[in-house]
Amino acid sequence: MAEDTPPTPKPTFDLQFDMDGPEASERFKKVSDEELEKIEEARNEKATMNQTTWAVKVLKDWMKQRGQGENFEDRTSAQLNSLLRSFYAEARTRSGKPYSKPALISLRSGLNRYLRNPPFHRQFTIMTDKEFTSSNQLLLGLIKKMKREGCDRSKHHQPIVEEDLIKLRQSTVMGYASPAALQKKVYFDISYQFGRRGREGLRQLTKSSFTVKSDPKGLKYVTPNFREAEKNHANDDYQTHATMHETPEDTENCPVCSFMFYTSKLHPGHDALFQRPKPDIPKQGPWYNNAPVGSKTLGKMMSDLSQSAGLSNRYTNHCVRATTCVQLDRAGYDTQQIMAITGHKNEASVRSYTARMHPERARNISHTLSSMSTASPTLTPTQHATVPREPQPSQATGAIGIQRSEAMEITPTATAAVMSTASLHAVPPSQAPVLFSGCIFHRNVTVHLPK
């Protein structure tokens, strides 16, 4: 039987490929030059592209008024340097006023970006190349001249002062009173806790942009669930190391509680994190409409909050980021730790926020200097000292002691006469070391101890 069994045929494989089939022709998509340029331009933020368009328009308007046509893209480096030298000096706003320092810098940056981008791909850089030294020196001279004449109108993003932070938290514009108030609280918590930039990326945030997790102690926290490209990270997306943690001792202001409640009230039909709020709290169903909040509305969210809460200044969205840097710096965190939260790549950028004089510190310095120049020797505004009256015999031992109940409080408004009549000659040596503990004097103080 075994001899009659035919041998099992070995399998064969046909390894021929149809190179002309549909899969071969559809695998690689052909991209036109126009599409390639659009892909290349996609690396720029929309605001950056708008700035570039604005810079080019200003230069072409100036050239047209000077009778030089509008074409500058194909000029040589020397010709363009001469053109820019005159343009920087004569550039004016529509109202005829000189541009501020940031505007002049933006003009130069926008023109440089325009020339280096497609379709021109010029290989020089008008900001640093030696061929443009004279135009850059003129621009630097303009900026210094504005500073000397007090005409520099550049504005820095100021941090929110503590008084306004407290006022904002205590106001009804943020909270659970309405869908809009809840949304504003979530916006502020996210911006403050994660040190986000002004308006960039807010419109692109979705319900899945953040994740709620629990730490080993069972407390919840919110962490970003995405990597985003920002102005400071044009070539490498970054992910913040910040996390927003639950505060069980203060549930009303807890950022995690409000975030979880907010996301539970979003409309299920739209993925945007910031949806248009309904005017009032509905009896049931979502608190928000099936439509996103516009980029312009999100961009002026902090400005609207400042006005509604009656804050001392009209803060911008970017002021919240500055506040994050300043508060962390004042709490003792170093620059590298702050950068891990905010995503800054340059320590100088962080120091531009933290190096500014804080309003409270400026007040204390002013009070200190004022006290030094007055006739009465005073303590610093935040310090108090107690100076005993004439010592009375102790009933227990008959020794001389200090009667704490009769102590006088010396404040910054105390007069020199009161200070001079305060008798300290009978203070026991054992109490002398702690008598002035925590006090700061701006005059020489002599204490006579009994022998």
Side-chain angles (χ1 to χ4, degrees), residues 367 370-372 374 376-380 411-414 440-443:
H367 290 157
S370 297
S371 68
M372 295 287 286
T374 56
S376 59
T378 60
L379 305 175
T380 59
T411 66
T413 57
I440 299 176
F441 291 90
H442 299 296
R443 296 290 189 275

Side-chain angles (χ1 to χ4, degrees), residues 61-81:
D61 287 347
W62 173 81
M63 292 176 64
K64 186 176 181 180
Q65 184 174 328
R66 291 290 179 266
Q68 300 189 37
E70 296 184 8
N71 182 18
F72 67 92
E73 293 86 352
D74 56 355
R75 298 199 181 195
T76 65
S77 298
Q79 291 172 338
L80 192 57
N81 176 65

Side-chain angles (χ1 to χ4, degrees), residues 360-378:
E360 181 181 348
R361 186 176 299 176
R363 285 195 298 268
N364 288 341
I365 290 176
S366 177
H367 290 157
T368 299
L369 294 173
S370 297
S371 68
M372 295 287 286
S373 61
T374 56
S376 59
T378 60

Side-chain angles (χ1 to χ4, degrees), residues 29-75:
K29 178 183 177 182
K30 187 176 181 180
V31 181
S32 65
D33 291 340
E34 182 180 356
E35 290 175 312
L36 287 173
E37 291 180 2
K38 289 183 178 180
I39 294 174
E40 187 175 351
E41 291 176 354
R43 75 186 191 278
N44 295 320
E45 295 285 344
K46 184 177 180 180
T48 303
M49 297 175 65
N50 291 339
Q51 180 207 54
T52 303
T53 303
W54 164 75
V56 173
K57 184 179 185 307
V58 174
L59 176 59
K60 290 191 173 184
D61 287 347
W62 173 81
M63 292 176 64
K64 186 176 181 180
Q65 184 174 328
R66 291 290 179 266
Q68 300 189 37
E70 296 184 8
N71 182 18
F72 67 92
E73 293 86 352
D74 56 355
R75 298 199 181 195

